[in-house]
């Protein structure tokens, strides 16, 4: 599944590179210098600008992946709560409601205020994010800074969403109006909880819609905190609802609801298909999907800075412990530099600092939960059995929480499971190739098409590969660079639609054509 490490700019990747060069630490010593403790302020469902118990009275636990301890009991939404929240959202969207009556520029001001609140509370939000999903604390802060920028970017769009003037033959005049779709639901994953949630919230509100979010059951805490910030920023009741709960209950209730006009989902390809089906079985709600990936990263032998390419390639695979939809998990290296590249990759993996995600110098933290950890270890074992060479790592780390060693495989063959299946863990697979034509064919031999990269000094090769890779984003001599204004999304089974940039607005707007009969001549 998911997710661009959009927040991790090239600069950020390079910082990791520097850290790995200058801060050597003994691998597998997991250090907990800073205590993981955070006070959880919000645990209830949020709708109509108020906090509510679940109708069923049920709660579920959210735990800290770094040590497996419980952080809080969270109210668990299901269909009954979804139905109430949708009714209130519909009301908030009615013509004449407070939200529909606010000027577009004022909507922009509300979003700008929200961005300021993100920055005001960055330390606390980052602690909450790291405690709930195990992301490195510095990465959580980077995500929040980046996300504040995304909110501001969409704030700027509020009063710039325009239709067209269309010349018609005869006595007619036509204009198009861009109107909000209505009740928009967002179902988000656990790997970039704040970033994914806000990436949907901001354009949905900028276009004048109302928002109902269901965060992943593993990571509800920061979404609930964002609810409180939306209220503080001044969004009217009903405009923002946040309903933590499970996928097959709360998520499916949103996907099947007859009054939800739009659903935007980031998660697994498997669940993406269920969302499409639910749309077809209910009201044909509009669907945007950002799904899995198995992105190729191609290093040609002419590239003149092998250390840099190897470092970026390893970050591409292991950023956020590999829990990234566009992770560059398939590293293709041209034969002339292959052995040297594998050697550098081994050295880089050896020097990754593994430790508490709260520590500033940690480069590698826990996986999200025991289920994902089990899935990753199963795939690692399959790689070993199928004959790939373990260059580094390859094992579980024996301690509380959900830890897997950063793992590098070399001599990986295209038919192996680790070459084909999305691992969503800290596993880099290195393949050898000879020619451009061969590598492009192999890179595209996947059902996915989210990202890809090429490292070369030859502009012709770079352009040819960038044009030939079937993926929504191709990076040249970098990986995971991206801004609020650069569209992101998938070809093939990696998704439908684009997020970020102007393109994201189209996900949340309907085009209305207004045709007027006008007299040709004024008497
Ligand atoms: P992962 O396998 O990585 O946890 P999922 O695709 O299962 O990814 O989860 C992403 C989001 O989709 C989560 O918010 C989850 O609760 C939700 N989800 C899971 N199953 C369903 C479903 N059947 N209908 C709607 N949402 C779902």
């Amino acid at each position: 599944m998911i997710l661009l490490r959009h927040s991790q700019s090239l600069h950020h990747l390079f910082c990791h590179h520097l850290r790995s060069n200058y801060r050597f630490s003994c691998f597998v010593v997991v250090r907990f210098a800073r205590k993981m403790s955070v006070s959880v302020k919000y645990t209830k469902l949020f709708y109509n600008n108020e906090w509510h118990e679940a109708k069923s009275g049920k709660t579920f636990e959210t735990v800290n992946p770094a040590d497996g301890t419980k952080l809080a009991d969270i109210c668990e939404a299901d269909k009954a709560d979804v139905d109430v929240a949708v009714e209130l959202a519909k009301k908030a969207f009615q013509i004449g409601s407070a939200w529909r009556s606010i000027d577009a520029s004022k909507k922009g001001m509300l979003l700008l205020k929200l961005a300021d609140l993100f920055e005001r509370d960055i330390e606390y939000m980052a602690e909450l994010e790291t405690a709930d999903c195990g992301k490195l604390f510095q990465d959580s802060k980077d995500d929040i800074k980046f996300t504040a920028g995304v909110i501001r970017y969409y704030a700027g769009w509020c009063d710039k969403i325009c239709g067209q003037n269309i010349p018609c033959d005869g006595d007619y005049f036509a204009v198009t109006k861009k109107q909000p779709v209505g009740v928009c639901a967002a179902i988000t994953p656990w790997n970039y909880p704040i970033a994914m949630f806000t990436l949907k919230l901001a354009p949905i509100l900028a276009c004048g819609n109302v928002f109902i979010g269901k965060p992943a059951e593993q990571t509800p805490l920061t979404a609930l905190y964002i609810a409180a910030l939306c209220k503080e920023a001044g969004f009217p009741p009903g405009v923002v609802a946040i309903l933590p709960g499970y996928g097959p209950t709360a998520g499916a209730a949103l996907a099947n609801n007859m009054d939800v006009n739009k659903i935007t989902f980031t998660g697994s390809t498997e669940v993406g298909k269920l969302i499409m089906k639910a749309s077809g079985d209910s009201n044909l709600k509009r669907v945007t999907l950002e799904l899995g990936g198995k992105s190729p990263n191609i290093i040609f032998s002419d590239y003149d800075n092998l250390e840099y390419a190897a470092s970026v390639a390893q970050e591409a695979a292991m950023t956020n412990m590999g829990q990234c939809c566009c992770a560059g998990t398939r590293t293709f290296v041209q034969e002339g530099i292959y052995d040297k590249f594998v050697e550098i990759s081994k050295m880089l993996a050896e020097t990754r600092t593994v430790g508490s995600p709260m520590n500033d110098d940690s480069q590698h933290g826990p996986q999200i939960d025991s289920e994902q950890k089990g899935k990753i270890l199963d795939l690692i074992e399959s790689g070993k059995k199928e004959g790939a060479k373990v260059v580094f790592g390859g094992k579980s780390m024996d301690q509380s929480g959900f830890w897997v060693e950063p793992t590098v495989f070399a001599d990986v063959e295209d038919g192996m499971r680790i070459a084909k299946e999305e691992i969503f863990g800290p596993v880099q697979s290195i393949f050898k190739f000879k020619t451009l034509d061969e590598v492009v064919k192999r890179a595209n031999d996947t059902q996915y098409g989210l990202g890809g990269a090429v490292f070369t000094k030859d502009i012709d090769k770079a352009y040819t590969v960038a044009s030939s890779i079937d993926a929504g984003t191709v990076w040249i001599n970098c990986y995971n660079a991206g801004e609020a204004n650069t569209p992101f999304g998938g070809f093939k089974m990696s998704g439908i639609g684009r997020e970020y940039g102007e393109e994201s607005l189209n996900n949340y707007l309907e085009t209305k054509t207004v045709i007027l009969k006008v007299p040709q001549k004024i008497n």
Side-chain angles (χ1 to χ4, degrees), residues 1 187-188 190 214-217 247-248 251-252 265-268 271 274-275:
M1 81 171 227
I187 299 180
T188 50
W190 44 260
K214 192 206 84 63
E217 53 273 28
F265 169 78
T266 299
S268 60
V271 175
L274 294 176
I275 303 270

Side-chain angles (χ1 to χ4, degrees), residues 257-448:
N257 191 291
M258 293 299 286
D259 292 318
V260 170
N261 307 104
K262 164 84 195 183
I263 194 148
T264 170
F265 169 78
T266 299
S268 60
T269 297
E270 188 193 353
V271 175
K273 287 182 177 181
L274 294 176
I275 303 270
M276 284 289 271
K277 191 163 182 309
S279 161
D281 287 344
S282 57
N283 60 343
L284 284 178
K285 54 181 65 64
R286 284 83 182 95
V287 175
T288 299
L289 304 174
E290 205 259 90
L291 308 173
K294 195 74 194 168
S295 300
N297 186 6
I298 301 168
I299 325 287
F300 283 96
S301 57
D302 69 71
Y303 192 71
D304 58 356
N305 188 343
L306 207 53
E307 284 76 14
Y308 172 77
S311 172
V312 174
Q314 193 159 99
E315 285 305 327
M318 296 201 189
T319 270
N320 206 31
M321 286 60 79
Q323 303 167 134
C324 181
C325 58
C326 62
T329 47
R330 292 184 297 149
T331 312
F332 289 94
V333 182
Q334 202 162 21
E335 55 185 358
I337 54 166
Y338 183 84
D339 292 340
K340 180 81 184 149
F341 188 94
V342 171
E343 193 187 308
I344 298 171
S345 302
K346 178 173 190 283
M347 185 276 290
L348 289 168
E350 276 168 359
T351 54
R352 288 184 89 75
T353 309
V354 180
S356 164
M358 286 303 288
N359 290 354
D360 290 341
D361 62 351
S362 291
Q363 292 171 287
H364 184 88
Q367 309 306 131
I368 186 72
D369 59 19
S370 60
E371 191 185 329
Q372 288 293 323
K373 177 179 168 178
K375 203 180 131 205
I376 296 161
L377 291 173
D378 174 55
L379 277 157
I380 289 176
E381 285 312 306
S382 80
K384 291 178 189 167
K385 277 199 200 106
E386 290 179 330
K389 180 174 156 198
V390 180
V391 171
F392 190 79
K395 294 191 294 298
S396 164
M397 292 168 69
D398 187 19
Q399 61 189 64
S400 55
F402 318 112
W403 297 74
V404 176
E405 290 178 350
T407 299
V408 179
F409 279 109
D411 303 345
V412 182
E413 305 276 344
D414 296 353
M416 295 175 180
R417 278 183 66 202
I418 55 169
K420 296 204 302 213
E421 295 178 32
E422 188 177 41
I423 303 175
F424 231 66
V427 182
Q428 181 181 20
S429 296
I430 307 180
F431 304 69
K432 192 189 278 186
F433 76 92
K434 285 194 172 104
T435 67
L436 186 150
D437 287 351
E438 169 213 333
V439 77
V440 164
K441 203 159 164 265
R442 291 170 65 192
N444 282 336
D445 186 18
T446 167
Q447 62 182 346
Y448 297 116

Side-chain angles (χ1 to χ4, degrees), residues 101-110 155 157-161 206:
S101 312
I102 293 176
D103 292 338
S105 60
K106 178 80 194 309
K107 286 182 177 134
M109 298 300 281
L110 290 173
W157 269 109
C158 287
D159 56 1
K160 298 167 193 71
I161 296 171

Side-chain angles (χ1 to χ4, degrees), residues 46-68:
F46 181 84
Y47 50 85
N48 219 27
N49 274 0
E50 288 154 359
W51 299 98
H52 304 267
E53 306 276 350
K55 301 261 172 236
S56 66
K58 284 196 215 160
T59 58
F60 65 100
E61 280 185 5
T62 187
V63 302
N64 185 336
D67 57 13

Side-chain angles (χ1 to χ4, degrees), residues 115-344:
D116 291 346
L117 296 178
F118 270 54
E119 281 176 350
R120 183 195 68 187
D121 294 348
I122 186 165
E123 290 288 325
Y124 175 70
M125 285 176 84
E127 281 173 17
L128 207 55
E129 183 87 327
T130 290
D132 213 14
C133 78
K135 182 184 293 290
L136 303 179
F137 182 70
Q138 273 311 322
D139 287 355
S140 293
K141 282 179 81 169
D142 287 346
D143 281 3
I144 295 163
K145 275 185 224 152
F146 178 83
T147 300
V150 171
I151 299 172
R152 291 195 179 106
Y153 172 81
Y154 285 108
W157 269 109
C158 287
D159 56 1
K160 298 167 193 71
I161 296 171
C162 304
Q164 288 180 314
N165 256 319
I166 301 172
C168 296
D169 288 354
D171 295 350
Y172 299 95
F173 174 71
V175 292
T176 55
K177 280 171 68 66
K178 294 285 184 184
Q179 291 195 189
V181 177
V183 179
C184 296
I187 299 180
T188 50
W190 44 260
N191 58 346
Y192 291 84
I194 293 176
M196 287 305 107
F197 204 75
T198 314
L199 154 66
K200 297 175 189 305
L201 175 89
I204 284 172
L205 297 180
C207 293
N209 299 284
V210 289
F211 173 93
I212 302 181
K214 192 206 84 63
E217 53 273 28
Q218 295 90 339
T219 55
L221 297 183
T222 43
L224 291 173
Y225 195 72
I226 291 170
L229 296 185
C230 287
K231 182 172 177 176
E232 185 181 345
F235 288 94
V239 174
V240 173
I242 316 260
L243 304 177
Y246 289 97
T249 50
L254 284 167
N256 286 291
N257 191 291
M258 293 299 286
D259 292 318
V260 170
N261 307 104
K262 164 84 195 183
I263 194 148
T264 170
F265 169 78
T266 299
S268 60
T269 297
E270 188 193 353
V271 175
K273 287 182 177 181
L274 294 176
I275 303 270
M276 284 289 271
K277 191 163 182 309
S279 161
D281 287 344
S282 57
N283 60 343
L284 284 178
K285 54 181 65 64
R286 284 83 182 95
V287 175
T288 299
L289 304 174
E290 205 259 90
L291 308 173
K294 195 74 194 168
S295 300
N297 186 6
I298 301 168
I299 325 287
F300 283 96
S301 57
D302 69 71
Y303 192 71
D304 58 356
N305 188 343
L306 207 53
E307 284 76 14
Y308 172 77
S311 172
V312 174
Q314 193 159 99
E315 285 305 327
M318 296 201 189
T319 270
N320 206 31
M321 286 60 79
Q323 303 167 134
C324 181
C325 58
C326 62
T329 47
R330 292 184 297 149
T331 312
F332 289 94
V333 182
Q334 202 162 21
E335 55 185 358
I337 54 166
Y338 183 84
D339 292 340
K340 180 81 184 149
F341 188 94
V342 171
E343 193 187 308
I344 298 171

